[in-house]
Every structure is written in C-alpha cells, then in structure tokens.
Amino acid sequence: MILGVLAFAWLLGVAAAAFTGADPWAALAAAAGLGAISFALRPKASTLALIALGAALIFAASWRYESTAPPDAPSGIAQRNDGDPVRFRALVVSEPDDRGGTVRYRLAVREVYGGGRWRPESGGILMRTAPFPRYAYGDLLDLEGELETPPTFDDFDYREYLLQRGIGSLIAYPSAQVIAHDQGSAFRAALIDTRARLSDALADALPEPEASLATGVLLGKRARLPTDLTEDMNATGTSHLVAVSGQNVTLIAGLLIAALAWAVGRRPAAWLALAAVIGYSFLVGGEPSVVRAAIMGGLYVVATALGRQSSAPIALALAGGVMTAIDPQIVHDVSFQLSFAATLGLMSLAPLLAARARAFTQRWPSADEFFLTRPTIEMAAITLAAIAFTLPITAVNFQRISLVAPLANLLAVPAFLAVAVTAAVTASIGAVLPAASGTLGWLAWPPAAYMVAVVRLAADVPLASTEVRGLGTEHAIVYYGALAVVVWFLMRRRSEPVVTAVPQRPSPTQTLIPVPGMLLLLALASALLWLSITMPVSGRLTVTFLDVGQGDAILIEGPDGHRILVDGGPSEDAITSALGRRLPFYDRRIDLVVLTHPQADHLGGLPAVLNRYDVGAALVSPVQADSAVYRAWRDSLRARSTPYHEAVAGQTIDLGNGARLYVLSAPPPQSDPNEGSIVIKLTMGRASFLLTGDIESTREAVLVRSGADLQAAVYKVPHHGSDTSSSSAFLAAVDPLLDVISVGRDNRYGHPAPDVLERLDGDAIFRTDLHGDVAISTDGRRLWIETTR
C-alpha cells in the first residue's frame, strides 16, 4: 500500500506538470492536496513521513517532466525544414506502413550532403511515397527532396504527436535510391519478415475486408483496413479491437481466461494467457508502445493467477510510475492514456460487475448452470469496464462519443477472441503450407465476417456517433470522480445471499431445441443466405463496374462461370476490397486479367491481384511503360509464370450460352498511353457492352472510320468522363441506353466534365462515385441493374 501511495504521488506530479507546463505552484498544490487527503484518512504521526516523501516525489516528477520536454527549436536535420531541397542518407527503421495508394516509411538520418561532402547528421523523418518500388526495413537510402515541418491542426497537434516518436520532419515523394541492404537489427528484420509471412498467409486465405480485419486483430496492423470500415469502427467505438494497446492486450488476456477457465481452471488459464501476452507482444513488433501494453496486460494476468486482484491497481500504479519515470512525455500519448485507463477498469470495475451479474443469474439455476453463462458474464463485464474507463479520454481527445459502443462491443468482443485465435491458426499454417490457404479460409472467415457485419450494422444506427465539442480535462476529472464513487459503492455493498431453487426438469421443447443448437442453425442459415446472395445468377452475363476510386476496374462473370477482370484500379486496397465484395471468399479464381493500358489508375492494383488470386492468364495492351508499378506487374507475371498475351484486334473469347468477348481494337506499341487502350465489346443476344479504357477523341474518330460495330446498350464512358473523350460522332455510333462512369469522389481532375454529361443527356447515367459498384446482368433480352449505393 505504501508503494502504491508513492507511485500515485509520482503520477500526480507528472500529471500536474503536464497540465500546467511544469508550473512549480501546480506541484505545490498537488503536494498539499495529497498531504491533506492522506492525513485525513490516516491521522497519525507516521503519515507525516509518508507525506514528505510523497511531496518530494511530486516535485521530482515535475522536474523530470520538464527536463525531458522536446526543444521548441528544431534540431538535427529538422533545421532544414521548409527550405531548399536536401540530399541525405537515411535508414529505413520500421516496416512499410501501406496506406493503399501511398506507403509511409520511418527514416533515421545518417548523413547529409552539403559543401561538396557528406557529414554526419541525425533526426527522424516520416517519408510518404508511391507503393512501388518497395523498400524494406534495413535499407539505406540516398534521398533528395524538400523537408516539411509537420502541421498542427485545430483539433490535433500532429507535430507534437510525431515529436514524441522522434520524428521532426516530413518528406513526400523524394527521389530515392537504395545504396545498401540489411543495415538494421537482424532480430528485428527476422521479426518483420515473420509478420509479413503471417500477413501474406491471411491475405491468401481471406478476402477483403476480412483479411485486413484479421491482420489488424492478430498483428496490430490497422492501416490496411478499408476507409469505410475504419470510419464505422470509429463510430461504434470498436476501433480499439485492431490497435496494439494495453486495453487490447488485457482484453485478449481477459477473454482467454474467461474462455479457458471452465476447462482448465482460472489460475492455469491465467498462466496460459500470460504466455499468450508475451508471444503477442513479440509478434506485433516489440515497439516501446507494445512493451508498455504487454506490461499492463501482464499485470492483470499475474494478479489473476496469484489471486491478488485487489492489489492489481497498486501494481498498475507502480508500472505507470516506472514508465513515466523513463519517459514522462508518454502521458501526452493518447494510446498510453487509453491503455492505462482500460487496464485500470479491467482490474477494478470488471470483477465487481461480474460478481453482481453472477449473483443476479443465481436466481435462475437453469440459466446459471448453462455452460455459456459465466464466459458471457465475464466478457460483458470486461467490455463495459473498458468502455467506462476510456470514455472521457475518447471524448476529450476526439470530441466524439459512440452511443452504440456498449452494444457494439458486447456483440463484437466475443468474436474478437475467435478472430484472434482462428487468424493465428490460419496464418501460422498458411505461412508454412501456402497450399492450405483456401481450406483455412473456412476457419477464419466466419468470425471475421460476423465482426464486420456487427460493426457495419451498428454504424448504421441513427446517431451512432455524436459530436461532443467543448469538453476538457476538467470534465474528465469530474467523470472519473463520479466513476470512483461508483466503484467504491460496488466494493462496499455486499450481495445478499441467494436462495437456490430446486432444479426443474427441462421441458420437452428445451430438450429438443437447445439454445446453442438454435444459434448454430441460425449462423449456418445466415452464412448460406449470404453465399446465395453473392453468387451470380446462372445463365446470365454480369458486368460489374467496381468502385475503386479514381480508376477503372471491371469484373465480367460469364454465363458458364468464367471470370475476367478488366483493369485493376489505382491501388491494391481498392481492388482487393472491391473483389472481396463481389466474389465468394472460398473461390480465389480469376480466369483472365485484361490490362487495357499501363497507367497507374488502371494498373495499380493488378500486382496484388496476381499475388492474392489464382489468375489463369493475362491479356494486355501492346503499349508498355517505364514506371515502377509497371515493372512490379511484369515481375509478378514472371514470378508466377502467368501466361501473357498481347491483344490483337479480332480476338474472341467464348463465355458460354451465347456470350462473347471481342477485342475491337488494339493499338500499335508506340501509341500514347491513353490512346493505347484496348477497346472491348461484350455481347449476349440483343445486349452489348462497350468497354473503352481511356481512349480520347482521336482514337474515337479512328474507330468510327473503321466501320467497326460500335453500337452498344451499355457504354463505359472513356477516361472517367474527361472532356477529351465521348465526342458527339462517337456517341452517335455507339447509341447507348445506359452510361457508366468509373470515377473517384471529389477527384482533382473535375471528372466527369460538365460538357460530357451534357452530351450524355437522355441516357441513364450511373457513376461509381455516387452509386458504388454498378452491376449489370443480362440474359440477352433484358438488363438488371444493381448498385451498392
């Protein structure tokens, strides 16, 4: 208890310094307050010595905080921010942070060039660059570009956030050249390689967004989550499930204990959970934030294993005191605040809630004896306690609270443990036996799909997330004061003895239709219903214009089941998410990939398609490009020995049941990239589709003069609706009924152009930025149109 009081005094000193800028009067007030409360609770002479020691720790903590504050003036290479381009050498010190269209790398500067020579320099830089070429941890780069000072926003100090992580500069799309490999720690490189193998195994086994969710839960890599799912998780208060924090680690430990206690006993389950926490901390990278999270989770587990839950908050205070003594500035880290608060809630409030709930269920012996009752109670208590203790931190820092967070977490948290376990099994086996990925998908997909469904359904609830502007630290203090009273009340109030009723024999209905069986049947029925909805209608030709942002990707599904992907959108995340929406998770087959022309908005996602899907062959434009993404695409084709053919006018592919694909036009190899697009026509009975790539008016005129049959019911508007395409003469030759424009929302090009929309006036127009995926199917006589928005 004495150690706990002293640890609390240190934390109080750090907090006072953080809130007031290390004002000595704040430290004095904190010491006086601690002394008054301590003597009031224990009015003895021996308390005075404890008060004096506590006051000394408060002043020491304030001094320590002030001495470790980052300097106001930039240091190291950050002194060159916002000036002329700088040439420097830096080491990649973390694994790539893939954000879909861009990749971020953390760099440690080694040297800077100036005055005709290299000289030593220091500093941390966050680099943002294109997905290709890729750099690896330990690569030493020679770079040149303009360094920028991280910005400060109204509601978020990004500069301060990066400074706490040792980063003082930003650089975007510099010229870069690798001059050496394997310059980092061999252990860390092996760890990153292991994480990459596990992540790749999950990507092979699961579609999107389930693969990204499983990777986030298992490895803490949340950057690859689709934007819409990330927003839904923020709105429903479930984003912590894919973050490496004390809350998440302790949650895993608590759920493992709850799940295993009925089988092996609570204490053995706690030791197993501790082993899982240690392994998990290594797996997710061993960063300082991860180590802090593991310490917090480990404290909870050890207290449970030793049966000393009452002393766990004291141990947490000691751990917090040690962490802030090493680096007092972590008190500004929101993830540290959330970790500390959530772990404290799980230690102090969760056992009390669980005890009250168990006392309540004992009134109904049949319910109390049901094998799922106790795990459910413990999971619910853990979830509600974590939410209760982190609510003010979320509200103050993000100015939003989720009204559906308790319900969403109660429904999602049980699946969280299932996702973690099945993802671990799938990734471990898949990394060793890649051929088993397809089978393993059946294990990992159901819990991940359920979790995604819960998050999205909860996000659709009106007022799921509400803004709470104007909240500050003083409001959080009042909230925590009230919460402390609630915890104290629950600790003081003892549950009354419960009179156990005489067990009654179950009714015939209960015997014939047990609750677990009903839940299993409902889950299986839901899965079969989902599969039946996503399967294309047999005998129809279906063409889906995928919503991939500012780019093109078209999925063709023939009447006999053939699959053709025309273009791959601008990024890996966009195309894998789109294909995950349209294709069944267990079937990763694409018979043919067509690249209309080698520009990034059509090509960017195709390397990922080759890596994650079973591609039978490729049909490409004769036009080539000198770009990193084009080289990555060609390298992927060679690595997988994918048959590769250049398109020739007149080529025909039979899709069955009267459906055919024709290559109307293929350009010469020296063509301009846009004018070098392959033009494709699909026909089935009276229905037809004209897929035009990015051709412009010059190529349109050539097609009209050629006498080719351009007439089509469905017209894929060229070049995202640019005013350089869709000339009046070309539109007259096509004479469409329905126009589809693949275009990104709020794109910087102004697509589609008003003049083009005016020329299309009178047709039915669908746009992927407004309507999402546009799926058009036909039996040769009619068209069925389905959109996701």
Side-chain angles (χ1 to χ4, degrees):
M1 181 61 71
I2 292 175
L3 289 175
V5 172
L6 296 178
F8 176 76
W10 176 272
L11 292 173
L12 184 61
V14 173
F19 290 140
T20 64
D23 188 339
W25 290 103
L28 181 62
L34 179 65
I37 295 173
S38 299
F39 199 77
L41 294 176
R42 192 172 182 269
K44 295 182 179 181
S46 58
T47 306
L48 296 176
L50 185 63
I51 291 173
L53 187 54
L57 285 173
I58 288 174
F59 280 100
S62 179
W63 170 85
R64 174 66 176 157
Y65 173 86
E66 186 176 17
S67 66
T68 58
D72 294 331
S75 60
I77 201 167
Q79 298 178 75
R80 297 172 175 262
N81 288 354
D82 308 315
D84 295 332
V86 182
R87 185 182 177 190
F88 59 96
R89 289 173 178 166
L91 186 68
V92 178
V93 293
S94 65
E95 58 188 312
D97 182 6
D98 198 328
R99 301 297 180 99
T102 62
V103 182
R104 297 181 182 182
Y105 299 89
R106 183 173 174 177
L107 308 176
V109 177
R110 293 286 182 85
E111 296 178 302
V112 65
Y113 188 78
R117 64 185 180 89
W118 291 97
R119 58 182 181 80
E121 187 56 277
S122 63
I125 296 177
L126 186 64
M127 177 176 72
R128 180 166 52 93
T129 187
F132 301 99
R134 284 293 177 92
Y135 308 110
Y137 167 78
D139 283 351
L140 184 62
L141 307 180
D142 187 335
L143 306 109
E144 185 169 5
E146 295 182 5
L147 298 175
E148 301 176 6
T149 300
T152 298
F153 305 104
D154 292 338
D155 56 351
F156 179 57
D157 192 341
Y158 189 45
R159 178 176 178 271
E160 181 68 24
Y161 171 82
L162 290 180
L163 281 175
Q164 292 170 12
R165 287 154 179 80
I167 298 172
S169 307
L170 302 177
I171 192 167
Y173 301 97
S175 62
Q177 181 180 358
V178 180
I179 56 177
H181 297 285
D182 302 324
Q183 299 296 299
S185 161
F187 174 77
R188 182 160 173 75
L191 193 63
I192 289 174
D193 181 64
T194 300
R195 284 164 54 84
R197 290 174 182 270
L198 296 175
S199 180
D200 290 345
L202 288 173
D204 289 341
L206 296 170
E208 292 295 348
E210 289 79 12
S212 293
L213 178 69
T215 303
V217 169
L218 180 63
L219 303 175
K221 298 170 67 173
R222 58 186 297 175
R224 297 300 297 269
L225 283 173
T227 303
D228 60 337
L229 182 59
T230 300
E231 292 173 352
D232 288 347
M233 296 189 81
N234 291 335
T236 57
T238 54
S239 58
H240 64 92
L241 298 177
V242 290
V244 182
S245 64
Q247 177 181 0
N248 211 11
V249 173
T250 308
L251 190 60
I252 288 177
L255 293 177
L256 279 173
I257 294 171
L260 297 176
W262 67 275
V264 299
R266 189 167 181 81
R267 289 193 179 183
W271 292 121
L272 290 173
L274 181 60
V277 166
I278 294 172
Y280 180 74
S281 63
F282 277 106
L283 185 64
V284 297
E287 296 281 352
S289 60
V290 176
V291 174
R292 293 196 299 264
I295 291 173
M296 292 181 183
L299 287 172
Y300 170 75
V301 176
V302 171
T304 301
L306 299 178
R308 300 291 300 275
Q309 289 91 336
S310 60
S311 62
I314 296 176
L316 179 64
L318 286 171
V322 172
M323 292 178 193
T324 53
I326 296 172
D327 179 15
Q329 302 304 319
I330 63 171
V331 295
H332 295 290
D333 190 334
V334 177
S335 65
F336 172 78
Q337 297 171 15
L338 291 171
S339 295
F340 191 90
T343 306
L344 181 60
L346 268 60
M347 289 177 171
S348 59
L349 181 58
L352 300 174
L353 294 176
R356 298 291 297 177
R358 284 195 297 270
F360 181 76
T361 58
Q362 287 174 4
R363 300 176 185 274
W364 296 273
S366 58
D368 186 57
E369 294 170 3
F370 183 54
F371 76 101
L372 287 178
T373 298
R374 183 159 183 168
T376 302
I377 286 174
E378 295 209 19
M379 290 180 183
I382 288 170
T383 301
L384 293 176
I387 292 174
F389 270 74
T390 56
L391 180 63
I393 298 174
T394 303
V396 170
N397 285 279
F398 305 112
Q399 302 292 301
R400 299 188 70 85
I401 59 172
S402 174
L403 301 180
V404 298
L407 178 61
N409 277 273
L410 284 174
L411 294 174
V413 164
F416 166 73
L417 182 60
V419 171
V421 173
T422 57
V425 172
T426 299
S428 301
I429 298 176
V432 178
L433 300 172
S437 296
T439 303
L440 293 168
W442 287 93
L443 173 68
W445 180 81
Y450 165 81
M451 195 168 163
V452 170
V454 166
V455 169
R456 286 182 166 161
L457 286 173
D460 288 338
V461 174
L463 299 177
S465 181
T466 304
E467 287 192 9
V468 283
R469 297 287 180 182
L471 294 182
T473 304
E474 62 279 6
H475 300 96
I477 292 174
V478 172
Y479 175 92
Y480 279 121
L483 188 58
V485 172
V486 171
V487 173
W488 177 82
F489 176 77
L490 290 175
M491 292 176 64
R492 296 277 297 179
R493 184 173 179 179
R494 304 297 181 188
S495 302
E496 297 180 0
V498 178
V499 179
T500 304
V502 178
Q504 298 181 353
R505 296 183 62 184
S507 67
T509 304
Q510 292 173 320
T511 303
L512 293 173
I513 312 177
V515 173
M518 286 295 295
L519 293 175
L520 180 60
L521 289 174
L522 286 172
L524 290 174
S526 300
L528 290 174
L529 178 61
W530 182 89
L531 291 175
S532 66
I533 291 173
T534 57
M535 291 291 288
V537 178
S538 178
R540 291 186 189 175
L541 170 66
T542 302
V543 181
T544 304
F545 300 86
L546 300 172
D547 179 15
V548 291
Q550 185 66 12
D552 269 19
I554 303 165
L555 178 65
I556 301 168
E557 297 170 276
D560 288 350
H562 298 91
R563 287 190 194 138
I564 300 174
L565 178 66
V566 180
D567 291 331
S571 69
E572 296 183 0
D573 286 0
I575 189 60
T576 53
S577 295
L579 292 175
R581 294 192 297 267
R582 304 305 305 185
L583 299 180
F585 75 92
Y586 54 84
D587 189 352
R588 312 300 289 273
R589 169 184 56 86
I590 295 178
D591 300 301
L592 179 68
V593 166
V594 179
L595 175 61
T596 60
H597 64 293
Q599 283 199 320
D601 56 339
H602 294 246
L603 173 59
L606 288 184
V609 172
L610 291 173
N611 292 335
R612 298 178 65 164
Y613 287 83
D614 298 326
V615 177
L619 181 68
V620 303
S621 168
V623 177
Q624 299 185 10
D626 182 18
S627 65
V629 65
Y630 185 75
R631 289 190 290 271
W633 149 255
R634 295 298 297 265
D635 289 344
S636 296
L637 286 170
R638 284 191 292 268
R640 284 154 185 77
S641 301
T642 305
Y644 179 93
H645 309 283
E646 287 190 352
V648 178
Q651 286 173 317
T652 304
I653 298 175
D654 187 352
L655 300 178
N657 200 26
R660 290 183 179 275
L661 180 150
Y662 301 94
V663 177
L664 283 187
S665 175
Q670 295 78 22
S671 300
D672 170 83
N674 284 336
E675 296 284 33
S677 298
I678 302 171
V679 178
I680 293 171
K681 186 173 182 179
L682 288 163
T683 64
M684 183 177 181
R686 294 190 299 159
S688 54
F689 301 75
L690 187 66
L691 310 181
T692 57
D694 277 357
I695 63 171
E696 298 182 342
S697 56
T698 301
R699 181 83 179 284
E700 291 176 349
V702 171
L703 284 169
V704 172
R705 290 195 301 268
S706 71
D709 181 12
L710 299 174
Q711 195 282 325
V714 180
Y715 171 57
K716 203 289 291 189
V717 177
H719 205 183
H720 323 293
S722 167
D723 59 4
T724 60
S725 306
S726 298
S727 60
S728 299
F730 190 66
L731 288 174
V734 178
D735 190 24
L737 299 173
L738 187 153
D739 309 316
V740 181
I741 306 175
S742 292
V743 63
R745 184 178 300 181
D746 300 325
N747 66 86
R748 60 191 178 95
Y749 306 101
H751 294 160
D755 289 348
V756 171
L757 293 176
E758 185 176 347
R759 291 197 291 271
L760 298 174
D761 189 35
D763 300 345
I765 300 175
F766 290 86
R767 296 167 44 170
T768 56
D769 62 333
L770 301 179
H771 301 103
D773 295 341
V774 180
I776 305 172
S777 60
T778 181
D779 59 0
R781 295 180 294 118
R782 291 165 292 181
L783 297 176
W784 286 265
I785 305 168
E786 174 194 354
T787 64
T788 53
R789 288 199 297 273

